PDB file of all heavy atoms in Angstrom:
ATOM      1  N   ASN A  45      91.409  84.332 128.178  1.00 93.00           N
ATOM      2  CA  ASN A  45      91.293  85.715 128.671  1.00 93.00           C
ATOM      3  C   ASN A  45      89.870  86.234 128.426  1.00 93.00           C
ATOM      4  O   ASN A  45      89.680  87.197 127.672  1.00 93.00           O
ATOM      5  CB  ASN A  45      92.315  86.612 127.973  1.00 93.00           C
ATOM      6  CG  ASN A  45      93.742  86.208 128.270  1.00 93.00           C
ATOM      7  OD1 ASN A  45      94.324  86.625 129.260  1.00 93.00           O
ATOM      8  ND2 ASN A  45      94.327  85.395 127.384  1.00 93.00           N
ATOM      9  N   PRO A  46      88.892  85.633 129.067  1.00 89.00           N
ATOM     10  CA  PRO A  46      87.492  85.988 128.764  1.00 89.00           C
ATOM     11  C   PRO A  46      87.108  87.399 129.165  1.00 89.00           C
ATOM     12  O   PRO A  46      86.127  87.943 128.626  1.00 89.00           O
ATOM     13  CB  PRO A  46      86.699  84.946 129.588  1.00 89.00           C
ATOM     14  CG  PRO A  46      87.631  84.548 130.689  1.00 89.00           C
ATOM     15  CD  PRO A  46      88.999  84.586 130.087  1.00 89.00           C
ATOM     16  N   GLN A  47      87.853  88.026 130.070  1.00 90.00           N
ATOM     17  CA  GLN A  47      87.518  89.376 130.508  1.00 90.00           C
ATOM     18  C   GLN A  47      88.220  90.461 129.698  1.00 90.00           C
ATOM     19  O   GLN A  47      87.938  91.648 129.875  1.00 90.00           O
ATOM     20  CB  GLN A  47      87.873  89.539 131.997  1.00 90.00           C
ATOM     21  CG  GLN A  47      87.179  88.541 132.914  1.00 90.00           C
ATOM     22  CD  GLN A  47      85.672  88.584 132.772  1.00 90.00           C
ATOM     23  OE1 GLN A  47      85.087  89.654 132.689  1.00 90.00           O
ATOM     24  NE2 GLN A  47      85.050  87.409 132.751  1.00 90.00           N
ATOM     25  N   LYS A  48      89.120  90.052 128.837  1.00 90.00           N
ATOM     26  CA  LYS A  48      89.875  91.028 128.064  1.00 90.00           C
ATOM     27  C   LYS A  48      89.018  91.611 126.935  1.00 90.00           C
ATOM     28  O   LYS A  48      88.205  90.915 126.319  1.00 90.00           O
ATOM     29  CB  LYS A  48      91.127  90.387 127.458  1.00 90.00           C
ATOM     30  CG  LYS A  48      92.157  89.909 128.473  1.00 90.00           C
ATOM     31  CD  LYS A  48      92.890  91.080 129.104  1.00 90.00           C
ATOM     32  CE  LYS A  48      94.045  90.593 129.974  1.00 90.00           C
ATOM     33  NZ  LYS A  48      94.762  91.717 130.617  1.00 90.00           N
ATOM     34  N   SER A  49      89.236  92.914 126.661  1.00 91.00           N
ATOM     35  CA  SER A  49      88.537  93.563 125.550  1.00 91.00           C
ATOM     36  C   SER A  49      89.193  93.170 124.232  1.00 91.00           C
ATOM     37  O   SER A  49      90.293  92.605 124.200  1.00 91.00           O
ATOM     38  CB  SER A  49      88.581  95.080 125.713  1.00 91.00           C
ATOM     39  OG  SER A  49      89.916  95.549 125.580  1.00 91.00           O
ATOM     40  N   ARG A  50      88.539  93.480 123.141  1.00 90.00           N
ATOM     41  CA  ARG A  50      89.110  93.214 121.817  1.00 90.00           C
ATOM     42  C   ARG A  50      90.417  93.974 121.622  1.00 90.00           C
ATOM     43  O   ARG A  50      91.376  93.449 121.041  1.00 90.00           O
ATOM     44  CB  ARG A  50      88.108  93.592 120.722  1.00 90.00           C
ATOM     45  CG  ARG A  50      86.845  92.759 120.740  1.00 90.00           C
ATOM     46  CD  ARG A  50      85.927  93.121 119.575  1.00 90.00           C
ATOM     47  NE  ARG A  50      84.726  92.296 119.560  1.00 90.00           N
ATOM     48  CZ  ARG A  50      83.851  92.269 118.554  1.00 90.00           C
ATOM     49  NH1 ARG A  50      84.056  93.043 117.491  1.00 90.00           N
ATOM     50  NH2 ARG A  50      82.799  91.484 118.606  1.00 90.00           N
ATOM     51  N   ASN A  51      90.463  95.198 122.123  1.00 89.00           N
ATOM     52  CA  ASN A  51      91.670  95.997 121.984  1.00 89.00           C
ATOM     53  C   ASN A  51      92.820  95.380 122.776  1.00 89.00           C
ATOM     54  O   ASN A  51      93.953  95.291 122.293  1.00 89.00           O
ATOM     55  CB  ASN A  51      91.409  97.420 122.469  1.00 89.00           C
ATOM     56  CG  ASN A  51      92.619  98.316 122.295  1.00 89.00           C
ATOM     57  OD1 ASN A  51      93.096  98.499 121.191  1.00 89.00           O
ATOM     58  ND2 ASN A  51      93.118  98.870 123.385  1.00 89.00           N
ATOM     59  N   ALA A  52      92.544  94.928 124.005  1.00 91.00           N
ATOM     60  CA  ALA A  52      93.581  94.314 124.831  1.00 91.00           C
ATOM     61  C   ALA A  52      94.093  93.030 124.194  1.00 91.00           C
ATOM     62  O   ALA A  52      95.300  92.752 124.203  1.00 91.00           O
ATOM     63  CB  ALA A  52      93.035  94.042 126.226  1.00 91.00           C
ATOM     64  N   LEU A  53      93.202  92.242 123.625  1.00 93.00           N
ATOM     65  CA  LEU A  53      93.610  91.013 122.949  1.00 93.00           C
ATOM     66  C   LEU A  53      94.492  91.317 121.744  1.00 93.00           C
ATOM     67  O   LEU A  53      95.482  90.629 121.494  1.00 93.00           O
ATOM     68  CB  LEU A  53      92.372  90.222 122.508  1.00 93.00           C
ATOM     69  CG  LEU A  53      91.530  89.604 123.628  1.00 93.00           C
ATOM     70  CD1 LEU A  53      90.203  89.104 123.070  1.00 93.00           C
ATOM     71  CD2 LEU A  53      92.285  88.466 124.304  1.00 93.00           C
ATOM     72  N   SER A  54      94.130  92.356 121.001  1.00 92.00           N
ATOM     73  CA  SER A  54      94.924  92.747 119.838  1.00 92.00           C
ATOM     74  C   SER A  54      96.343  93.118 120.236  1.00 92.00           C
ATOM     75  O   SER A  54      97.313  92.737 119.574  1.00 92.00           O
ATOM     76  CB  SER A  54      94.246  93.919 119.121  1.00 92.00           C
ATOM     77  OG  SER A  54      95.075  94.427 118.102  1.00 92.00           O
ATOM     78  N   ILE A  55      96.485  93.856 121.330  1.00 92.00           N
ATOM     79  CA  ILE A  55      97.811  94.239 121.807  1.00 92.00           C
ATOM     80  C   ILE A  55      98.615  93.002 122.195  1.00 92.00           C
ATOM     81  O   ILE A  55      99.814  92.896 121.890  1.00 92.00           O
ATOM     82  CB  ILE A  55      97.686  95.216 122.990  1.00 92.00           C
ATOM     83  CG1 ILE A  55      97.120  96.553 122.501  1.00 92.00           C
ATOM     84  CG2 ILE A  55      99.035  95.417 123.672  1.00 92.00           C
ATOM     85  CD1 ILE A  55      96.814  97.533 123.604  1.00 92.00           C
ATOM     86  N   MET A  56      97.984  92.044 122.842  1.00 93.00           N
ATOM     87  CA  MET A  56      98.668  90.814 123.226  1.00 93.00           C
ATOM     88  C   MET A  56      99.145  90.036 121.991  1.00 93.00           C
ATOM     89  O   MET A  56     100.241  89.476 121.976  1.00 93.00           O
ATOM     90  CB  MET A  56      97.732  89.948 124.074  1.00 93.00           C
ATOM     91  CG  MET A  56      97.378  90.574 125.423  1.00 93.00           C
ATOM     92  SD  MET A  56      96.057  89.677 126.303  1.00 93.00           S
ATOM     93  CE  MET A  56      96.922  88.168 126.724  1.00 93.00           C
ATOM     94  N   VAL A  57      98.321  90.020 120.952  1.00 94.00           N
ATOM     95  CA  VAL A  57      98.698  89.326 119.724  1.00 94.00           C
ATOM     96  C   VAL A  57      99.894  90.007 119.066  1.00 94.00           C
ATOM     97  O   VAL A  57     100.854  89.346 118.640  1.00 94.00           O
ATOM     98  CB  VAL A  57      97.507  89.269 118.745  1.00 94.00           C
ATOM     99  CG1 VAL A  57      97.942  88.699 117.394  1.00 94.00           C
ATOM    100  CG2 VAL A  57      96.373  88.437 119.329  1.00 94.00           C
ATOM    101  N   CYS A  58      99.856  91.330 118.977  1.00 92.00           N
ATOM    102  CA  CYS A  58     100.971  92.071 118.372  1.00 92.00           C
ATOM    103  C   CYS A  58     102.275  91.796 119.115  1.00 92.00           C
ATOM    104  O   CYS A  58     103.335  91.626 118.496  1.00 92.00           O
ATOM    105  CB  CYS A  58     100.679  93.574 118.379  1.00 92.00           C
ATOM    106  SG  CYS A  58      99.400  94.089 117.218  1.00 92.00           S
ATOM    107  N   GLN A  59     102.199  91.758 120.421  1.00 92.00           N
ATOM    108  CA  GLN A  59     103.395  91.497 121.218  1.00 92.00           C
ATOM    109  C   GLN A  59     103.907  90.080 121.002  1.00 92.00           C
ATOM    110  O   GLN A  59     105.111  89.852 120.884  1.00 92.00           O
ATOM    111  CB  GLN A  59     103.085  91.743 122.696  1.00 92.00           C
ATOM    112  CG  GLN A  59     102.819  93.206 123.023  1.00 92.00           C
ATOM    113  CD  GLN A  59     102.288  93.412 124.432  1.00 92.00           C
ATOM    114  OE1 GLN A  59     101.759  92.486 125.061  1.00 92.00           O
ATOM    115  NE2 GLN A  59     102.438  94.630 124.949  1.00 92.00           N
ATOM    116  N   GLN A  60     102.987  89.121 120.922  1.00 92.00           N
ATOM    117  CA  GLN A  60     103.387  87.728 120.728  1.00 92.00           C
ATOM    118  C   GLN A  60     103.973  87.508 119.334  1.00 92.00           C
ATOM    119  O   GLN A  60     104.951  86.790 119.159  1.00 92.00           O
ATOM    120  CB  GLN A  60     102.175  86.810 120.937  1.00 92.00           C
ATOM    121  CG  GLN A  60     102.450  85.332 120.685  1.00 92.00           C
ATOM    122  CD  GLN A  60     103.440  84.735 121.658  1.00 92.00           C
ATOM    123  OE1 GLN A  60     103.532  85.174 122.805  1.00 92.00           O
ATOM    124  NE2 GLN A  60     104.183  83.736 121.213  1.00 92.00           N
ATOM    125  N   TRP A  61     103.379  88.123 118.326  1.00 92.00           N
ATOM    126  CA  TRP A  61     103.825  87.949 116.943  1.00 92.00           C
ATOM    127  C   TRP A  61     104.934  88.933 116.545  1.00 92.00           C
ATOM    128  O   TRP A  61     105.418  88.877 115.424  1.00 92.00           O
ATOM    129  CB  TRP A  61     102.636  88.125 115.997  1.00 92.00           C
ATOM    130  CG  TRP A  61     101.639  87.013 116.061  1.00 92.00           C
ATOM    131  CD1 TRP A  61     101.707  85.868 116.806  1.00 92.00           C
ATOM    132  CD2 TRP A  61     100.394  86.942 115.339  1.00 92.00           C
ATOM    133  NE1 TRP A  61     100.600  85.087 116.602  1.00 92.00           N
ATOM    134  CE2 TRP A  61      99.780  85.707 115.709  1.00 92.00           C
ATOM    135  CE3 TRP A  61      99.760  87.770 114.430  1.00 92.00           C
ATOM    136  CZ2 TRP A  61      98.544  85.326 115.180  1.00 92.00           C
ATOM    137  CZ3 TRP A  61      98.533  87.388 113.912  1.00 92.00           C
ATOM    138  CH2 TRP A  61      97.936  86.174 114.288  1.00 92.00           C
ATOM    139  N   ASN A  62     105.271  89.849 117.449  1.00 90.00           N
ATOM    140  CA  ASN A  62     106.227  90.912 117.118  1.00 90.00           C
ATOM    141  C   ASN A  62     105.775  91.669 115.868  1.00 90.00           C
ATOM    142  O   ASN A  62     106.560  91.961 114.967  1.00 90.00           O
ATOM    143  CB  ASN A  62     107.635  90.345 116.911  1.00 90.00           C
ATOM    144  CG  ASN A  62     108.699  91.444 116.889  1.00 90.00           C
ATOM    145  OD1 ASN A  62     108.550  92.484 117.535  1.00 90.00           O
ATOM    146  ND2 ASN A  62     109.761  91.232 116.135  1.00 90.00           N
ATOM    147  N   TRP A  63     104.476  91.975 115.845  1.00 88.00           N
ATOM    148  CA  TRP A  63     103.874  92.666 114.701  1.00 88.00           C
ATOM    149  C   TRP A  63     103.967  94.167 114.965  1.00 88.00           C
ATOM    150  O   TRP A  63     103.118  94.757 115.621  1.00 88.00           O
ATOM    151  CB  TRP A  63     102.426  92.235 114.554  1.00 88.00           C
ATOM    152  CG  TRP A  63     101.954  92.266 113.130  1.00 88.00           C
ATOM    153  CD1 TRP A  63     102.659  92.647 112.040  1.00 88.00           C
ATOM    154  CD2 TRP A  63     100.661  91.893 112.655  1.00 88.00           C
ATOM    155  NE1 TRP A  63     101.902  92.532 110.907  1.00 88.00           N
ATOM    156  CE2 TRP A  63     100.676  92.071 111.243  1.00 88.00           C
ATOM    157  CE3 TRP A  63      99.518  91.425 113.268  1.00 88.00           C
ATOM    158  CZ2 TRP A  63      99.564  91.810 110.450  1.00 88.00           C
ATOM    159  CZ3 TRP A  63      98.404  91.153 112.480  1.00 88.00           C
ATOM    160  CH2 TRP A  63      98.424  91.344 111.085  1.00 88.00           C
TER     161      TRP A  63
END
Side-chain angles (χ1 to χ4, degrees):
N45 297 274
Q47 302 304 318
K48 295 287 188 181
S49 67
R50 296 184 178 190
N51 182 59
L53 291 168
S54 172
I55 292 174
M56 294 170 69
V57 173
C58 289
Q59 292 170 340
Q60 177 65 30
W61 290 357
N62 193 30
W63 210 359

